[in-house]
Amino acid sequence: MSVLRIVQVVCMVVSASVVMPDNYEDGIDVNYADAYYNEISEGEQSEADTHTVTPAVPCTAPEFSKWDKLFTMLENSQMKENMLLQYSDDIVKLGLQSVRAEMLEIAAQSRASCAAAVENSLRRAEAHIEEKLLQALEQLRGVSAQQQARHDAVLEQILEATKEQEAQLDKVGKNCIHDQVKSFQTRHLEKEDRGQAFAAELRNLNEKLDFYTRATAGQVLPAGCDMALFFPMRSPKTHAEVTPQRSMKTRAFTVCLWIKPTQMLNKTVLFSYGTATNPLELQLLLSGRSALFTVGGEAHLVEAPGAATEGSWAHLCGTWSSEQGLASLWVGGQRAASSPGVAEGHEIPAGGVTILGQEYNGEGLAKRLGFQETFNADEAFTGKLSGVNAWDRVLDEDEISEQARPDGRTCGSRGNLVAWGVSQIVEGGGVKLIN
């Protein structure tokens, strides 16, 4: 409706602008008469003459030509045209505003209707999809039930076939086992006969090897040792006295030696150093198969079990430090036992006697100079003894391992207190130095 109004107004304005100049041109009556002057009556003229003598001046009006009138009409027509245009603009603006409002209203209505339509279509699509999904689930359930039934049937068939196979295998296995048992028993009897013969031959070889070992045991020495002291029996006189290379006064001590005992009783003395005040200053001895090392008396000792075996060579070392009070026993080059607090702060005095294979008691030590020497036969060592060395320091682990090497080229490195092969040794009571 508003658009039609706007079109009608525009048409009226255009027709008015075209028609109005023609109307003006037709309605103008061009008058070409003479100019107008003020006309005064005779009475008025006489009165004027009486009062003033000034002659009357006619009142003149401007004369307009035809073009002036045309221009005037054009100006008037332009003013009217401008007024009509302004009015038409106002009408157009109002029409456009009303059209805009109507369009916005139409758009709002269409938006609401479209949203409702979209929502309705989505709901219908959702319902349709849900219905299709339910139908598909029902179909899947039916198919899965059928497949499950088929699988169960197949499994039953497999189980039946497996049971039949197991029964057949059981029969075959029993037959095979029976045959194998028979053959095994036969072979076992044959092997048993051969094994008995082989065991008899092995016993004969062991007996021969043991015979040769016993026959040559008296002549074998540790590697690198070319001599040994042989103590043939327990006696109150069997011993060997060693003269040290220097004073035995020390606050640290290490003694190492090789032994091959033939008897090991409750107490078997290997190395002993004693003074007039304390006959048991230093001792390395055996108690059964255990090795003991004492410093400053039997109350301070360290013990290593399983250190020696009758008829076999063994290497023993005893170390002690007064500063730390730590005493250790080494068997075969390995630390076997340690004990702290052994004669800590003690000092070994000089002026004592060093004995191998025995120990001095108080009475025997007192009788040493010019009197009959007495020892305890129960404490005497029997067997072979070699590689006796002593130091006034504690040897480290590598040095002790080197002393105990069974394949060494020498019989251990020589000590600075007692040096095997250098220090003087006096045998007594049947002890012999053998090669």
Side-chain angles (χ1 to χ4, degrees), residues 303-315:
E303 180 178 0
T309 304
E310 290 182 358
S312 299
W313 283 101
H315 188 269

Side-chain angles (χ1 to χ4, degrees), residues 98-134:
S98 62
V99 170
R100 183 174 179 275
E102 290 177 2
M103 293 296 292
L104 290 175
E105 184 177 358
I106 292 169
Q109 292 176 359
S110 63
R111 189 184 301 115
S113 61
C114 288
V118 170
E119 185 176 0
N120 292 331
S121 63
L122 289 175
R123 287 178 181 175
R124 287 194 299 271
E126 184 178 359
H128 181 69
I129 293 170
E130 186 176 0
E131 182 180 358
K132 291 294 183 182
L133 287 175
L134 290 175

Side-chain angles (χ1 to χ4, degrees), residues 244-264:
Q245 296 294 108
R246 54 192 296 182
S247 172
M248 291 288 290
K249 183 178 181 180
T250 180
R251 298 179 66 86
F253 185 75
T254 298
V255 59
C256 293
L257 48 82
W258 286 93
I259 61 168
K260 185 180 182 181
T262 56
Q263 284 184 322
M264 295 186 299

Side-chain angles (χ1 to χ4, degrees), residues 158-410:
I158 292 172
L159 288 175
E160 291 177 358
T162 303
K163 289 179 180 179
E164 293 177 359
Q165 292 293 331
E166 287 180 355
Q168 294 177 0
L169 289 174
D170 190 15
K171 292 179 181 180
V172 174
K174 287 180 179 179
N175 295 330
C176 291
I177 291 172
H178 182 69
D179 296 339
Q180 288 178 359
V181 167
K182 288 183 178 180
S183 62
F184 176 76
Q185 289 176 351
T186 304
R187 291 195 302 270
H188 180 69
L189 291 175
E190 295 176 355
K191 289 182 179 179
E192 186 175 359
D193 295 337
R194 290 197 299 268
Q196 290 177 356
F198 179 75
E201 293 179 0
L202 185 61
R203 283 195 298 271
N204 292 332
L205 289 174
N206 287 332
E207 289 177 357
K208 291 180 181 179
L209 181 62
D210 187 36
F211 173 77
Y212 288 126
T213 301
R214 289 196 302 270
T216 58
Q219 300 177 359
V220 177
L221 295 175
C225 296
D226 54 0
M227 63 178 181
L229 288 173
F230 176 63
F231 296 78
M233 60 182 177
R234 291 181 179 274
S235 166
K237 293 185 178 181
T238 56
H239 71 285
E241 183 175 339
V242 181
T243 302
Q245 296 294 108
R246 54 192 296 182
S247 172
M248 291 288 290
K249 183 178 181 180
T250 180
R251 298 179 66 86
F253 185 75
T254 298
V255 59
C256 293
L257 48 82
W258 286 93
I259 61 168
K260 185 180 182 181
T262 56
Q263 284 184 322
M264 295 186 299
L265 303 180
N266 291 334
K267 183 177 181 181
T268 302
V269 180
L270 305 175
F271 178 92
S272 175
Y273 175 78
T275 63
T277 56
N278 186 2
L280 308 176
E281 278 289 343
L282 292 169
Q283 278 194 321
L284 182 60
L285 60 151
L286 297 176
S287 177
R289 298 184 65 245
S290 299
L292 286 78
F293 182 55
T294 67
V295 181
E298 293 182 347
H300 308 287
L301 60 87
V302 58
E303 180 178 0
T309 304
E310 290 182 358
S312 299
W313 283 101
H315 188 269
L316 302 177
C317 284
T319 62
W320 166 78
S321 173
S322 173
E323 182 180 357
Q324 300 175 354
L326 179 65
S328 300
L329 265 172
W330 302 72
V331 179
Q334 302 294 323
R335 190 192 303 268
S338 295
S339 179
V342 175
E344 185 175 358
H346 181 66
E347 183 179 48
I348 305 297
V353 178
T354 302
I355 301 294
L356 301 179
Q358 264 290 3
E359 68 176 8
Y360 272 118
N361 56 24
E363 182 180 358
L365 192 61
K367 294 180 180 179
R368 179 179 180 276
L369 295 175
F371 296 94
Q372 182 180 2
E373 298 178 0
T374 58
F375 295 101
N376 188 348
D378 295 334
E379 299 174 354
F381 171 74
T382 57
K384 296 178 182 178
L385 191 149
S386 181
V388 182
N389 292 283
W391 295 263
D392 58 355
R393 63 183 180 88
V394 176
L395 269 63
D396 59 27
E397 183 176 358
D398 294 337
E399 291 176 312
I400 292 177
S401 298
E402 186 67 24
Q403 293 289 321
R405 287 183 59 181
D407 58 345
R409 295 182 179 179
T410 63

